[in-house]
Coordinates of all heavy atoms in Angstrom, one line a residue:
Q1051 N 0.8 -1.2 0.0 CA 0.0 0.0 0.0 C 0.9 1.3 0.0 O 0.3 2.4 0.0 CB -0.9 0.0 1.2 CG -2.0 -1.1 1.2 CD -2.9 -1.0 2.4 OE1 -2.9 0.0 3.1 NE2 -3.6 -2.1 2.7
F1052 N 2.2 1.1 0.0 CA 3.0 2.3 0.0 C 2.8 3.3 -1.2 O 2.8 4.5 -1.0 CB 4.5 1.9 0.0 CG 5.5 3.0 -0.1 CD1 5.6 3.9 0.9 CD2 6.4 3.1 -1.2 CE1 6.5 5.0 0.9 CE2 7.3 4.1 -1.2 CZ 7.4 5.0 -0.2
A1053 N 2.5 2.7 -2.3 CA 2.3 3.5 -3.5 C 0.9 4.1 -3.6 O 0.7 5.0 -4.4 CB 2.5 2.6 -4.8
T1054 N -0.1 3.6 -2.8 CA -1.5 4.1 -3.0 C -2.0 4.9 -1.9 O -3.0 5.7 -2.1 CB -2.4 2.9 -3.2 OG1 -2.3 2.0 -2.0 CG2 -2.0 2.1 -4.4
R1055 N -1.5 4.8 -0.7 CA -2.0 5.6 0.5 C -1.7 7.1 0.3 O -0.6 7.4 -0.3 CB -1.4 5.1 1.8 CG -2.0 3.7 2.2 CD -3.4 3.9 2.7 NE -3.9 2.6 3.4 CZ -5.1 2.5 3.9 NH1 -6.0 3.5 3.9 NH2 -5.5 1.4 4.4
D1056 N -2.5 7.9 0.8 CA -2.3 9.4 0.8 C -1.3 9.8 1.9 O -1.7 9.8 3.1 CB -3.6 10.1 0.9 CG -3.4 11.6 0.8 OD1 -2.3 12.1 0.6 OD2 -4.5 12.4 0.9
L1057 N -0.1 10.1 1.6 CA 0.9 10.5 2.6 C 1.3 12.0 2.4 O 2.3 12.4 2.9 CB 2.2 9.6 2.3 CG 2.0 8.1 2.2 CD1 3.3 7.4 2.0 CD2 1.3 7.6 3.5
S1058 N 0.4 12.7 1.7 CA 0.8 14.1 1.4 C 0.9 15.0 2.6 O 1.4 16.1 2.4 CB -0.2 14.6 0.4 OG -1.5 14.7 0.9
S1059 N 0.4 14.6 3.7 CA 0.5 15.5 4.9 C 1.9 15.6 5.4 O 2.2 16.7 6.1 CB -0.5 15.1 6.0 OG -0.1 13.8 6.5
L1060 N 2.7 14.7 5.2 CA 4.0 14.6 5.8 C 4.9 15.7 5.2 O 5.1 15.8 4.0 CB 4.7 13.2 5.5 CG 4.0 12.1 6.3 CD1 4.6 10.7 5.9 CD2 4.2 12.2 7.8
Q1061 N 5.5 16.5 6.1 CA 6.4 17.6 5.7 C 7.8 17.2 6.1 O 8.8 17.7 5.5 CB 6.0 18.9 6.4 CG 4.6 19.4 6.1 CD 4.2 20.5 6.9 OE1 5.0 21.2 7.6 NE2 2.9 20.8 7.0
S1062 N 8.0 16.4 7.1 CA 9.3 16.0 7.6 C 9.3 14.5 8.0 O 8.5 14.1 8.8 CB 9.7 16.9 8.8 OG 11.0 16.5 9.2
V1063 N 10.3 13.8 7.5 CA 10.4 12.3 7.8 C 11.9 12.2 8.3 O 12.8 12.3 7.6 CB 10.2 11.4 6.7 CG1 10.4 10.0 7.0 CG2 8.8 11.6 6.1
S1064 N 12.0 12.0 9.7 CA 13.3 11.9 10.3 C 13.6 10.4 10.6 O 12.8 9.8 11.3 CB 13.4 12.7 11.5 OG 14.6 12.6 12.2
I1065 N 14.7 10.0 10.1 CA 15.1 8.5 10.2 C 16.4 8.5 11.0 O 17.3 9.1 10.6 CB 15.2 7.8 8.9 CG1 13.8 8.0 8.1 CG2 15.5 6.3 9.0 CD1 13.9 7.5 6.7
G1066 N 16.4 7.7 12.0 CA 17.7 7.7 12.8 C 17.9 6.3 13.5 O 17.0 5.4 13.4
S1067 N 18.9 6.2 14.3 CA 19.3 5.1 15.1 C 20.3 4.2 14.5 O 21.0 3.4 15.1 CB 18.1 4.3 15.7 OG 17.7 3.3 14.8
A1068 N 20.3 4.2 13.1 CA 21.2 3.3 12.3 C 21.4 3.8 10.9 O 20.5 4.6 10.5 CB 20.6 1.9 12.3
P1069 N 22.4 3.4 10.2 CA 22.5 3.9 8.8 C 21.3 3.4 8.0 O 20.8 2.3 8.2 CB 23.8 3.2 8.3 CG 24.6 3.0 9.6 CD 23.6 2.7 10.7
L1070 N 20.9 4.3 7.0 CA 19.8 4.0 6.2 C 20.3 3.6 4.8 O 21.1 4.3 4.2 CB 18.9 5.3 6.1 CG 17.7 5.2 5.2 CD1 16.7 4.2 5.7 CD2 17.1 6.6 5.1
A1071 N 19.7 2.6 4.3 CA 20.1 2.1 2.9 C 19.8 3.2 1.9 O 18.7 3.7 1.9 CB 19.4 0.8 2.5
P1072 N 20.7 3.6 1.0 CA 20.4 4.6 0.0 C 19.1 4.4 -0.8 O 18.3 5.3 -1.1 CB 21.6 4.6 -0.9 CG 22.7 4.2 0.0 CD 22.1 3.1 0.9
K1073 N 18.9 3.1 -1.2 CA 17.7 2.8 -1.9 C 16.4 3.1 -1.2 O 15.5 3.6 -1.8 CB 17.7 1.3 -2.3 CG 16.5 0.9 -3.2 CD 16.4 -0.6 -3.4 CE 15.1 -0.9 -4.2 NZ 14.9 -2.3 -4.3
T1074 N 16.4 2.8 0.1 CA 15.2 3.1 0.9 C 15.0 4.6 1.0 O 13.8 5.1 0.8 CB 15.4 2.5 2.3 OG1 15.6 1.1 2.2 CG2 14.1 2.8 3.2
Q1075 N 16.0 5.4 1.2 CA 15.9 6.8 1.2 C 15.4 7.4 -0.1 O 14.5 8.3 -0.1 CB 17.2 7.5 1.6 CG 17.0 9.0 1.9 CD 18.3 9.6 2.4 OE1 19.4 9.0 2.5 NE2 18.3 10.9 2.8
L1076 N 15.9 6.9 -1.2 CA 15.6 7.4 -2.5 C 14.1 7.1 -2.8 O 13.4 7.9 -3.4 CB 16.4 6.7 -3.6 CG 17.9 7.3 -3.7 CD1 18.7 6.4 -4.6 CD2 17.8 8.8 -4.2
M1077 N 13.6 5.9 -2.4 CA 12.2 5.5 -2.6 C 11.3 6.5 -1.8 O 10.2 6.9 -2.3 CB 11.9 4.1 -2.2 CG 12.6 3.1 -3.1 SD 12.4 1.4 -2.5 CE 10.7 1.1 -2.8
L1078 N 11.7 6.8 -0.6 CA 10.9 7.7 0.2 C 10.9 9.1 -0.4 O 9.8 9.8 -0.4 CB 11.4 7.8 1.7 CG 11.1 6.6 2.5 CD1 11.9 6.6 3.8 CD2 9.6 6.5 2.9
I1079 N 12.0 9.6 -0.9 CA 12.1 10.9 -1.5 C 11.2 11.0 -2.7 O 10.5 12.0 -2.9 CB 13.6 11.2 -1.8 CG1 14.4 11.5 -0.5 CG2 13.7 12.5 -2.7 CD1 15.9 11.6 -0.8
E1080 N 11.2 10.0 -3.5 CA 10.5 9.9 -4.7 C 9.0 9.9 -4.4 O 8.2 10.6 -5.1 CB 10.8 8.7 -5.6 CG 10.1 8.6 -6.9 CD 10.5 7.4 -7.7 OE1 11.5 6.8 -7.4 OE2 9.7 7.1 -8.6
R1081 N 8.6 9.2 -3.4 CA 7.2 9.1 -3.0 C 6.7 10.3 -2.3 O 5.5 10.6 -2.3 CB 7.0 7.8 -2.1 CG 5.6 7.5 -1.6 CD 4.7 7.1 -2.8 NE 3.4 6.7 -2.3 CZ 2.4 7.6 -2.1 NH1 2.6 8.9 -2.3 NH2 1.2 7.2 -1.6
L1082 N 7.6 11.1 -1.6 CA 7.2 12.2 -0.8 C 8.0 13.4 -1.2 O 8.8 14.0 -0.6 CB 7.5 11.9 0.7 CG 6.9 10.7 1.3 CD1 7.5 10.4 2.7 CD2 5.4 10.9 1.5
P1083 N 7.7 13.9 -2.4 CA 8.5 15.0 -3.0 C 8.5 16.3 -2.3 O 9.4 17.2 -2.4 CB 8.0 15.1 -4.4 CG 6.5 14.6 -4.3 CD 6.6 13.5 -3.3
D1084 N 7.4 16.5 -1.5 CA 7.3 17.8 -0.8 C 7.8 17.7 0.7 O 7.7 18.7 1.4 CB 5.8 18.2 -0.7 CG 5.2 18.5 -2.1 OD1 6.0 19.0 -3.0 OD2 4.1 18.2 -2.4
A1085 N 8.3 16.5 1.1 CA 8.7 16.3 2.4 C 10.3 16.4 2.5 O 10.9 16.0 1.5 CB 8.2 15.0 3.0
T1086 N 10.8 16.7 3.7 CA 12.2 16.5 4.0 C 12.4 15.1 4.5 O 11.8 14.8 5.6 CB 12.6 17.6 5.1 OG1 12.4 18.9 4.6 CG2 14.1 17.4 5.4
V1087 N 13.1 14.3 3.8 CA 13.4 12.9 4.2 C 14.8 12.8 4.5 O 15.7 12.6 3.6 CB 12.9 11.9 3.1 CG1 13.2 10.5 3.6 CG2 11.5 12.2 2.7
G1088 N 15.2 12.8 5.7 CA 16.6 12.8 6.1 C 17.0 11.7 7.1 O 16.1 11.2 7.9
N1089 N 18.2 11.2 7.0 CA 18.7 10.2 7.9 C 19.5 11.0 8.9 O 20.7 11.3 8.7 CB 19.6 9.2 7.2 CG 20.0 8.0 8.1 OD1 19.3 7.7 9.1 ND2 21.1 7.4 7.7
S1090 N 18.9 11.2 10.1 CA 19.6 12.0 11.1 C 20.5 11.2 12.0 O 20.5 9.9 11.9 CB 18.6 12.8 12.0 OG 17.7 11.8 12.6
Y1091 N 21.3 11.8 12.8 CA 22.2 11.1 13.6 C 22.2 11.6 15.0 O 22.3 12.9 15.2 CB 23.7 11.1 13.1 CG 24.7 10.5 13.9 CD1 25.0 9.1 13.8 CD2 25.4 11.2 14.9 CE1 25.9 8.4 14.6 CE2 26.4 10.5 15.7 CZ 26.6 9.2 15.5 OH 27.5 8.6 16.3
G1092 N 22.2 10.8 16.0 CA 22.3 11.2 17.4 C 22.6 9.9 18.3 O 22.5 8.8 17.8
M1093 N 23.0 10.1 19.5 CA 23.2 9.0 20.4 C 23.0 9.4 21.8 O 23.1 10.6 22.1 CB 24.6 8.4 20.2 CG 25.8 9.3 20.5 SD 27.4 8.6 20.0 CE 27.5 7.2 21.1
T1094 N 22.6 8.5 22.6 CA 22.2 8.8 24.0 C 23.3 9.5 24.7 O 23.1 10.4 25.5 CB 21.7 7.5 24.8 OG1 20.8 6.8 23.9 CG2 21.1 7.9 26.1
E1095 N 24.5 9.0 24.5 CA 25.7 9.6 25.2 C 25.9 11.1 24.8 O 26.4 11.9 25.6 CB 27.0 8.9 24.9 CG 27.1 7.5 25.6 CD 26.5 6.4 24.9 OE1 25.6 6.6 24.0 OE2 26.8 5.2 25.2

């Protein structure tokens, strides 16, 4: 259902905790052209 659901409300998609596969990020960017889709980085320490 990734290709058919209405996801247009999303303005920011923050992905973190581990490296993100480039293919996965590119698929999200293509599907959500109006959103910021970033792989952020942080750690508890």
Side-chain angles (χ1 to χ4, degrees):
Q1051 295 180 18
F1052 176 61
T1054 57
R1055 287 287 188 179
D1056 181 1
L1057 311 179
S1058 60
S1059 67
L1060 291 172
Q1061 299 171 19
S1062 179
V1063 179
S1064 178
I1065 304 170
S1067 85
L1070 176 66
K1073 182 189 177 186
T1074 304
Q1075 186 175 8
L1076 285 168
M1077 291 175 71
L1078 284 166
I1079 290 171
E1080 182 179 345
R1081 182 71 177 81
L1082 303 168
D1084 297 325
T1086 300
V1087 182
N1089 187 23
S1090 56
Y1091 176 88
M1093 58 189 301
T1094 311
E1095 285 88 340

